[in-house]
Amino acid sequence: MKLIARSFDTDSSEPRVVAHYDDCRELGIKQMDRVRLDAKTSQVAVVSTSDAVKKGEILMPPQVMSDIGAEEGQTVDVVYSPKPDSVKSIRKKMDSQKLTKDEINEIVVDIRENKLSKIEISAWLTALYINGMDIEEMANFTQSMVNTGDKIIFDRTPVFDFHSLGGVPGNKITPVVVSIVAAAGLMIPKTSSRAISSACGTSDIVEVFCDVKLDASEFKRISETVGGVLAWGGSMNLAPVDDMVIDIEYPLGINPRAKMLASILSKKLAISATHLLVDIPMGTGTKVRTLEEAREYARDLMEIGSKLGMRTECAITYGDQPVGNAIGPALEARECIRILEGNTHPASVIEKACDLAGMILEMGGIPDGPTKAREILASGQALKKFREIVEAQKGKKDITSEDIHTGKFVHDVKAVRSGYVHSINNKDLVTIARAAGAPSDKGAGILLFRKKGQRAEKGDVLFQIYADNRAKADRARDIAIKLGPMDIEGMLIKKVRDPSAPKDT
Amino acid sequence: MKLIARSFDTDSSEPRVVAHYDDCRELGIKQMDRVRLDAKTSQVAVVSTSDAVKKGEILMPPQVMSDIGAEEGQTVDVVYSPKPDSVKSIRKKMDSQKLTKDEINEIVVDIRENKLSKIEISAWLTALYINGMDIEEMANFTQSMVNTGDKIIFDRTPVFDFHSLGGVPGNKITPVVVSIVAAAGLMIPKTSSRAISSACGTSDIVEVFCDVKLDASEFKRISETVGGVLAWGGSMNLAPVDDMVIDIEYPLGINPRAKMLASILSKKLAISATHLLVDIPMGTGTKVRTLEEAREYARDLMEIGSKLGMRTECAITYGDQPVGNAIGPALEARECIRILEGNTHPASVIEKACDLAGMILEMGGIPDGPTKAREILASGQALKKFREIVEAQKGKKDITSEDIHTGKFVHDVKAVRSGYVHSINNKDLVTIARAAGAPSDKGAGILLFRKKGQRAEKGDVLFQIYADNRAKADRARDIAIKLGPMDIEGMLIKKVRDPSAPKDT
C-alpha cells in the first residue's frame, strides 16, 4: 500500500508507526503487527492503529524516516511483514527451553535493530527472570551483546577493568581504585554508568569535576597515555542493547540475573578487557543478600569470563550500610579527592579501595597488592595520577577537594533519643537523597555523621541533607523524618524472660 | 507542575501521555513512570518522554482529556504518581507465588482503569503463562473479570450457555445449537466473538444475515422473549479486561491457560449463566493436542465453575480437520442454514450440533437429549426458532440459505495426483482463507470437496477458494498451491523391510 509519510516522534524507544484503522484492515494487519516500509531503503516497524491519523498517511518517528530515506510528505510503500523468528525463541524461553547461540543472537540483533516491540522485550525479560539461562547461554548472550556494538581495541595489553554490582549507597571508590591501579603502571580504561534508580553512579560523581562524555578515540588515547580513564560508558556505543532494555526493566523493577551478568561482562569485553575484578557488595538492601548468593554470582561471573577469554576475579564486600559518609555526586566527589589528598577518614572507603585495587595489582603480577596500593595512595602517586586523568578529561588542572561545591541548602537531621545506631536503611537513604535532587542536582545528597554501632545522644546530628534548592531540601527533610532511616536503640533490644517469672509492673 | 494539555491519539489501548524531557526531569520522572493529571477530576497515566513535545505542554489521548474534564490548551496539574501495588503482585507471580484474592483483583482493576502499561501487562501474561494459577486463584481471577464489567440479570432462570475453545476451522455449529436449545424451551442467551487469528468467529458468521451488535437491553429482551440470541459479546461491556489484554497476547502468540479459562467463564458469569457446556476440540492444530490435556481443561473448567456456582460440563470433540465443508463467514452461514432447512449434509456438522445441543437439553432436565435435539432439527422447529432470532436481530424475515451471497471470485484447487487424503492442515486452511479476505470480506473462504480418508483422482477439485475481489482470490490460490494443505498419498505410505532382504532395483 502507498501511504504518505508524516513525521511524529512520541516515543524514541520504539520505532512504532501509526496508520489509520481502515488502511490497516486493507493491509490485513492488526495493532502490534509489523510492516515493511520501503523508500530508498527499507525497514520493518511495529504498527499502531488509530483513527487520529488521516487515511492514506502513516506517521513515523523522524529516525525511521531518515533511515529509509523518506522525506516529509513522500509516498512510501507499506506491506505486511511477518513476526521475526526471535519471537519464537522468546516463546521457547517462556517454555523453559535452552536457546542456541543463533537464537540468542537473533533476539539481541532484533532488539538492537528495533525489530522487537516493548511487549515482546518485556516477555523476554520476564521469561529470563523466571527461567534463567545456563553458563553457555549466558556466554553466548554476552558475546552477542558485544557483537551488536562497537569494540575498542588498544595498542597496549593487558587491559584491566573493575566493576561493582552496586546497590550500596556512597560507593565512591572507583576514582581512587583507578588512580592507584594506573599509578602502578597498569592500564585501566574504566567505563561507568549514571544512576538509574540509585542516588549516584560513578559517572555522576566524575562529572562533577571533569568531562565524562568521551568518544572512542579520546577514551583510547587517554587510556594509553595516562594509563587510566573515568568515562561514561553511555557516550560510546558499547553493548548498546543493554541500555535499550533498561527502559523495559525499570518499570518492572527487575534485573534478570542472566541479563545482569551478560550486561556487566559485555561492557568489559567491548573495551577488550583481559583482566576483570568484580565487587559484589552483600547485605540487606543490596542486590545480593547472602554469602551463598554472592558466591553463586562470583562463580558464574568467573565461569562466563573464562569461556570468553577474560580472567575474572570477584570480591564479596560488606554492603550493610553506606561506604564512607557521603552520598550524592558532589559530596562523594569531595570525599574521594580528600582521600587521594591524604585524608585518613573515612577509613572504610580507604580500606575498600586499597583492598580492591590491591587485587587488581596482583592480577597484574604485582605482589602484596593491598600493601602496594596503600603505599601508592599514601605517597601521593595516586593523587598525581588522578590529576592527570582529570586534566586529560578537560577538568581543572591540579584539582583539589576545595574546588568541589556542595548544595547550599542544608538541613540537620538529629537523634530524637540517645542510643546506638542499630541499622541504617540503604534504600531509605537513596529515597531521601533523590528527593533532595540527586543525582541530577550535583550538589544534592546526604552526609552521614553516624554509622552502624556508633552512639548518638539525643539532639546529635545523625546526618545532613544537602540540596541545590530550598523546596527540594525541605521535601527531603520531610521524607527523612517520615522514614527514619537510622534505628537508634539502647544496647538492650528486647527482654526475653521465663514466662513463669513475675512480670514488671 | 502546570502543563498545557494538547490532544493527540496515537494508540487508544494505552493512555500514555507525552511530555518534554526537561519537564520530566524537573518532575523527577523517567520514561514509563506515572503521573497524576488533575483538572476537573484526576487520572493516573504512564509517561513517555520526548523532545518532540513543546516544553510546558503535555500530549494526551482525547479519552484521557475528556475523562479529566480538560479542554484543549487548558492548564492541568501534573505530579509524580508512584507505581500501583499491582506491579508488586505481578512481581510476586513472577516469583511463582500464589496471589490473594485482593492482589488478583487489584491487577484486574488496574488493567481496567488503564493504570498498567503494556510492558507490565506483558510481564503479567508471561508470568501467568510460565507459572500458572491454581483453581482458587483462577476462580478469583474470573470473579474479578466479571466484577470489572457490566452484568446482565435475567428475569428468567435457569440460563443456559455454550462455548467452544475453538482452534478448529469451519466450526459453525453455534447457530444450530442455539436454535435447537431455544426451540426446546430453554433460554440460551449466546454471546460470541469475532475471529482474532482464525478465519471466522461465530459473530462473523451471524453478521452475514443479521445484526450482532446488540446493547444489553436488546440482548435481554430477545433472550427472554425468543429464548435464544446470537450476539457479539464485544458490543456489551462484559468482562472487558479480557478484550483489553488480547492486544498484548496477540503479538506474543500466547494465551495463558489461567487467563483463557478465566476469560471463558467470566463472559458466561457476566450474563448470569447457571448452566454451561464447553466444547473442547482436540487434535493437531487446535489448542488442545491430547486427551490428557483435554481432560485437564475439562476438570479445571468444572472445578472453577463449581466454585463460582455455575454448573459446567464439557464435551471433548474431534478437531483433527475442519467441521463440515465450509470455512469463512458467508460460506459457513449458508452451510448452517441449509442444515436448519433439513439438508442432511455435511453429517459431521449435524452430528456435532445435535450431540452438544443434546447435552444442554439434558442439563435442563430433558431426557434423551441428543435424540430430542435431532427431532427438533428434523421437525423444522429449530429453523422456525432460528428465523425468530434472526428477525428479532433485524435480519430478513423468513431467511433461507438462498439469501446468503458468497464471494464472486472462485478458484478450484485440484489434486495433482490420485490417492487418499491422509491429512488436512487446519492452520494452512486458515492462512488461505485469511489471504482470500476472511473474516472481514464476508464472501471469502474455502469450500472443501474432500475430507480426511476420502479418495481423489488426479484433477479432481479438492477445494474451492472464494473471494470478494480478484487480487485476493489470486493471492490465496498462490498460497494454497505453495502450502498444499491436503496430503494425498496412496494407501501404502512407506515400505519397511528386513534390511537383509534383496533390495529393489
Side-chain angles (χ1 to χ4, degrees):
Chain A
M1 181 181 281
K2 303 282 181 195
L3 295 175
I4 294 166
R6 297 276 175 219
S7 165
F8 187 78
D9 182 15
T10 51
D11 182 350
S12 54
S13 67
E14 185 155 300
R16 186 187 287 178
V17 296
V18 190
H20 192 275
Y21 291 123
D22 293 348
D23 290 333
C24 289
R25 187 182 157 118
E26 184 58 34
L27 279 163
I29 54 174
K30 290 196 202 44
Q31 175 86 355
M32 301 311 291
D33 269 337
R34 289 169 172 79
V35 288
R36 202 185 67 232
L37 308 164
D38 278 306
K40 276 182 194 140
T41 61
S42 68
Q43 186 165 330
V44 169
V46 172
V47 182
S48 200
T49 59
S50 171
D51 58 1
V53 181
K54 281 190 198 154
K55 275 195 215 181
E57 291 193 355
I58 185 162
L59 301 183
M60 56 184 80
Q63 187 60 50
V64 172
M65 204 170 228
S66 115
D67 285 351
I68 61 168
E71 302 288 330
E72 180 77 21
Q74 182 188 325
T75 299
V76 296
D77 201 37
V78 181
V79 292
Y80 172 79
S81 176
K83 272 183 204 177
D85 284 345
S86 51
V87 174
K88 283 182 209 148
S89 304
I90 292 172
R91 275 292 297 277
K92 208 173 151 186
K93 184 47 78 185
M94 286 163 75
D95 289 329
S96 203
Q97 292 177 59
K98 180 168 174 166
L99 299 184
T100 66
K101 186 174 177 169
D102 287 346
E103 287 166 342
I104 291 169
N105 193 54
E106 270 176 352
I107 293 172
V108 174
V109 168
D110 284 352
I111 294 174
R112 177 75 188 103
E113 296 179 354
N114 283 312
K115 285 185 183 157
L116 288 172
S117 70
K118 284 181 180 172
I119 289 171
E120 289 151 349
I121 298 172
S122 173
W124 163 238
L125 293 169
T126 304
L128 266 195
Y129 177 84
I130 300 174
N131 290 332
M133 276 184 162
D134 70 12
I135 294 288
E136 192 185 343
E137 287 177 293
M138 286 194 272
N140 288 329
F141 192 16
T142 305
Q143 192 63 60
S144 291
M145 302 249 278
V146 175
N147 294 348
T148 44
D150 293 341
K151 197 162 174 180
I152 291 171
I153 313 283
F154 291 101
D155 298 329
R156 279 174 67 178
T157 52
V159 179
F160 294 86
D161 207 344
F162 167 63
H163 182 84
S164 175
L165 286 200
V168 53
N171 195 24
K172 76 282 290 173
I173 60 164
T174 298
V176 182
V177 170
V178 168
S179 301
I180 293 172
V181 172
L186 304 182
M187 186 173 76
I188 180 163
K190 180 77 182 89
T191 59
S192 301
S193 55
R194 298 183 193 279
I196 297 171
S197 52
S198 73
C200 182
T202 295
S203 287
D204 299 310
I205 299 176
V206 176
E207 205 173 29
V208 170
F209 49 77
C210 67
D211 197 4
V212 294
K213 291 185 199 165
L214 307 180
D215 64 27
S217 72
E218 288 171 310
F219 180 77
K220 185 168 182 284
R221 181 181 51 75
I222 297 172
S223 302
E224 288 177 348
T225 54
V226 182
V229 70
L230 291 162
W232 174 49
S235 62
M236 289 168 288
N237 187 35
L238 307 173
V241 165
D242 181 42
D243 305 306
M244 297 175 77
V245 298
I246 284 173
D247 275 353
I248 314 288
E249 290 178 315
Y250 171 71
L252 299 175
I254 60 169
N255 190 353
R257 179 192 176 80
K259 212 287 300 187
M260 177 181 165
L261 299 180
S263 142
I264 294 167
L265 294 171
S266 60
K267 299 275 185 196
K268 305 308 174 188
L269 272 178
I271 61 131
S272 306
T274 54
H275 295 72
L276 170 67
L277 176 69
V278 181
D279 167 28
I280 305 178
M282 189 192 85
T284 54
T286 69
K287 290 173 191 163
V288 180
R289 306 292 171 94
T290 65
L291 189 57
E292 186 39 48
E293 213 185 325
R295 281 197 179 120
E296 272 174 35
Y297 271 108
R299 196 178 49 231
D300 284 359
L301 283 163
M302 290 189 289
E303 279 189 41
I304 304 166
S306 145
K307 266 192 183 287
L308 297 168
M310 181 166 55
R311 187 175 151 198
T312 304
E313 293 189 0
C314 295
I316 299 170
T317 60
Y318 177 74
D320 248 357
Q321 66 172 342
V323 178
N325 297 328
I327 299 167
L331 290 160
E332 295 196 44
R334 193 174 63 185
E335 194 169 277
C336 255
I337 300 176
R338 281 184 180 163
I339 285 166
L340 287 161
E341 287 168 348
N343 209 316
T344 55
H345 181 78
S348 63
V349 182
I350 298 170
E351 191 179 325
K352 183 168 179 181
C354 289
D355 284 347
L356 295 188
M359 283 181 77
I360 300 173
L361 299 189
E362 289 180 356
M363 286 172 92
I366 297 169
D368 295 328
T371 310
K372 183 72 187 168
R374 281 172 174 80
E375 284 171 20
I376 291 172
L377 180 62
S379 68
Q381 294 169 70
L383 176 64
K384 184 169 172 285
K385 184 55 72 179
F386 173 76
R387 287 175 167 164
E388 286 175 31
I389 295 170
V390 171
E391 197 179 341
Q393 294 185 206
K394 305 191 185 74
K396 189 176 176 238
K397 193 172 149 72
D398 296 326
I399 188 170
T400 74
S401 54
E402 302 294 313
D403 295 318
I404 307 298
H405 304 292
T406 56
K408 288 204 182 81
F409 298 87
V410 182
H411 280 303
D412 290 344
V413 177
K414 295 176 182 171
V416 291
R417 58 172 146 176
S418 300
Y420 294 87
V421 178
H422 276 252
S423 67
I424 298 183
N425 189 312
N426 283 339
K427 288 198 172 167
D428 288 350
L429 290 179
V430 171
T431 303
I432 297 163
R434 288 183 72 101
S440 59
D441 295 355
K442 293 292 178 199
I446 293 172
L447 198 56
L448 300 170
F449 282 65
R450 288 290 186 284
K451 301 282 296 273
K452 270 174 87 167
Q454 291 180 336
R455 188 169 172 84
E457 301 305 325
K458 185 176 172 182
D460 282 356
V461 176
L462 294 175
F463 57 92
Q464 287 181 325
I465 293 168
Y466 285 73
D468 287 346
N469 77 52
R470 183 170 305 281
K472 289 184 187 176
D474 292 352
R475 185 174 65 161
R477 180 199 49 198
D478 295 345
I479 291 172
I481 288 166
K482 195 177 138 213
L483 292 175
M486 284 191 190
D487 239 15
I488 305 214
E489 301 276 352
M491 285 305 286
L492 179 66
I493 297 177
K494 189 172 168 30
K495 293 179 187 175
V496 182
R497 281 181 177 166
D498 179 357
S500 64
K503 287 211 170 80
D504 283 339
T505 50
Chain B
M1 180 181 281
K2 304 280 181 196
L3 296 175
I4 295 167
R6 298 277 175 219
S7 163
F8 188 78
D9 181 15
T10 50
D11 182 350
S12 54
S13 67
E14 184 156 301
R16 186 186 288 177
V17 297
V18 191
H20 191 275
Y21 290 125
D22 293 348
D23 290 332
C24 290
R25 189 182 155 115
E26 184 58 31
L27 279 163
I29 54 174
K30 289 195 202 46
Q31 174 86 358
M32 301 312 290
D33 270 336
R34 290 170 172 78
V35 288
R36 203 185 65 232
L37 308 165
D38 280 307
K40 277 181 194 143
T41 61
S42 67
Q43 187 166 330
V44 169
V46 172
V47 182
S48 201
T49 59
S50 171
D51 59 1
V53 181
K54 280 190 197 152
K55 273 196 218 182
E57 292 192 354
I58 186 162
L59 300 183
M60 56 184 81
Q63 188 60 50
V64 173
M65 205 171 230
S66 114
D67 286 350
I68 61 169
E71 303 288 329
E72 180 77 21
Q74 182 188 326
T75 299
V76 297
D77 201 36
V78 182
V79 292
Y80 172 79
S81 176
K83 269 181 207 178
D85 284 345
S86 52
V87 174
K88 283 182 207 145
S89 304
I90 293 173
R91 273 293 296 277
K92 208 173 151 186
K93 184 47 77 184
M94 286 163 74
D95 288 329
S96 203
Q97 293 176 57
K98 180 169 174 164
L99 300 183
T100 66
K101 186 174 177 167
D102 287 347
E103 287 166 341
I104 291 170
N105 193 53
E106 270 175 352
I107 292 172
V108 174
V109 168
D110 285 352
I111 293 174
R112 177 75 188 104
E113 296 178 354
N114 283 312
K115 285 185 183 157
L116 288 172
S117 70
K118 284 180 180 173
I119 289 171
E120 289 151 349
I121 298 172
S122 173
W124 163 239
L125 293 170
T126 305
L128 267 195
Y129 177 83
I130 300 174
N131 290 331
M133 276 184 162
D134 69 13
I135 294 289
E136 191 186 345
E137 287 177 293
M138 286 194 273
N140 289 329
F141 191 17
T142 304
Q143 192 63 59
S144 291
M145 302 248 279
V146 175
N147 295 348
T148 44
D150 293 340
K151 196 161 175 181
I152 291 171
I153 313 283
F154 291 100
D155 298 328
R156 279 174 68 177
T157 53
V159 178
F160 294 86
D161 207 345
F162 167 63
H163 181 84
S164 174
L165 286 200
V168 53
N171 195 24
K172 76 282 291 173
I173 60 164
T174 299
V176 182
V177 170
V178 168
S179 302
I180 294 173
V181 172
L186 305 181
M187 186 174 73
I188 180 163
K190 178 78 182 91
T191 59
S192 301
S193 55
R194 296 183 194 279
I196 297 170
S197 53
S198 73
C200 181
T202 295
S203 287
D204 298 310
I205 298 175
V206 177
E207 205 173 30
V208 170
F209 49 78
C210 66
D211 198 4
V212 295
K213 290 186 198 164
L214 307 181
D215 64 27
S217 70
E218 289 171 308
F219 180 76
K220 185 167 180 286
R221 182 181 52 76
I222 298 173
S223 302
E224 288 176 348
T225 53
V226 183
V229 69
L230 290 162
W232 174 50
S235 63
M236 289 168 287
N237 187 35
L238 308 173
V241 164
D242 181 42
D243 305 306
M244 297 174 77
V245 300
I246 284 174
D247 275 354
I248 314 289
E249 290 178 316
Y250 172 70
L252 298 175
I254 59 170
N255 189 354
R257 180 191 176 80
K259 211 288 300 186
M260 177 179 164
L261 298 180
S263 143
I264 294 167
L265 294 171
S266 61
K267 299 274 185 198
K268 305 308 173 188
L269 273 178
I271 61 132
S272 306
T274 55
H275 295 72
L276 170 66
L277 176 69
V278 181
D279 166 29
I280 305 178
M282 188 192 85
T284 51
T286 70
K287 288 171 190 165
V288 180
R289 306 293 171 93
T290 65
L291 190 58
E292 186 40 47
E293 215 185 322
R295 282 199 178 119
E296 272 174 34
Y297 271 109
R299 195 176 51 231
D300 285 359
L301 283 163
M302 290 188 291
E303 280 190 39
I304 304 166
S306 145
K307 265 190 183 290
L308 296 168
M310 180 165 56
R311 185 174 152 200
T312 305
E313 293 190 359
C314 296
I316 299 171
T317 59
Y318 177 74
D320 248 357
Q321 66 173 343
V323 179
N325 297 329
I327 300 167
L331 289 161
E332 295 195 45
R334 194 175 60 184
E335 195 169 277
C336 255
I337 301 175
R338 282 184 181 164
I339 285 166
L340 288 161
E341 288 168 345
N343 209 314
T344 56
H345 181 77
S348 63
V349 181
I350 299 169
E351 190 179 327
K352 184 168 179 181
C354 290
D355 284 347
L356 296 188
M359 283 182 77
I360 300 173
L361 298 190
E362 289 180 356
M363 287 172 92
I366 298 170
D368 296 327
T371 309
K372 182 73 186 166
R374 281 173 175 80
E375 283 170 21
I376 292 171
L377 180 62
S379 68
Q381 295 169 69
L383 176 63
K384 184 168 171 284
K385 184 56 72 179
F386 174 75
R387 286 175 168 163
E388 286 175 31
I389 294 171
V390 171
E391 198 180 338
Q393 293 184 209
K394 305 191 184 74
K396 189 175 175 238
K397 192 172 151 71
D398 296 326
I399 188 171
T400 74
S401 55
E402 301 294 312
D403 294 318
I404 308 297
H405 303 291
T406 56
K408 288 202 184 82
F409 298 87
V410 182
H411 280 304
D412 291 343
V413 177
K414 295 177 180 173
V416 292
R417 59 173 147 176
S418 301
Y420 294 86
V421 178
H422 276 250
S423 68
I424 298 181
N425 189 313
N426 283 339
K427 288 196 172 168
D428 287 349
L429 290 179
V430 171
T431 303
I432 296 162
R434 289 182 72 100
S440 59
D441 295 355
K442 292 294 178 200
I446 293 173
L447 196 56
L448 299 170
F449 283 66
R450 288 288 185 286
K451 301 281 297 273
K452 270 174 86 166
Q454 292 181 334
R455 187 168 171 86
E457 301 306 324
K458 185 175 170 182
D460 281 356
V461 177
L462 294 175
F463 56 93
Q464 286 180 325
I465 294 169
Y466 286 72
D468 288 345
N469 76 53
R470 184 171 304 282
K472 289 185 186 175
D474 291 350
R475 185 175 65 162
R477 180 198 48 198
D478 295 346
I479 290 172
I481 289 166
K482 195 176 136 213
L483 292 175
M486 286 191 190
D487 240 15
I488 304 210
E489 299 277 352
M491 285 307 285
L492 179 66
I493 296 177
K494 189 175 166 29
K495 294 179 185 175
V496 183
R497 282 180 176 169
D498 180 356
S500 64
K503 289 210 168 81
D504 284 338
T505 51

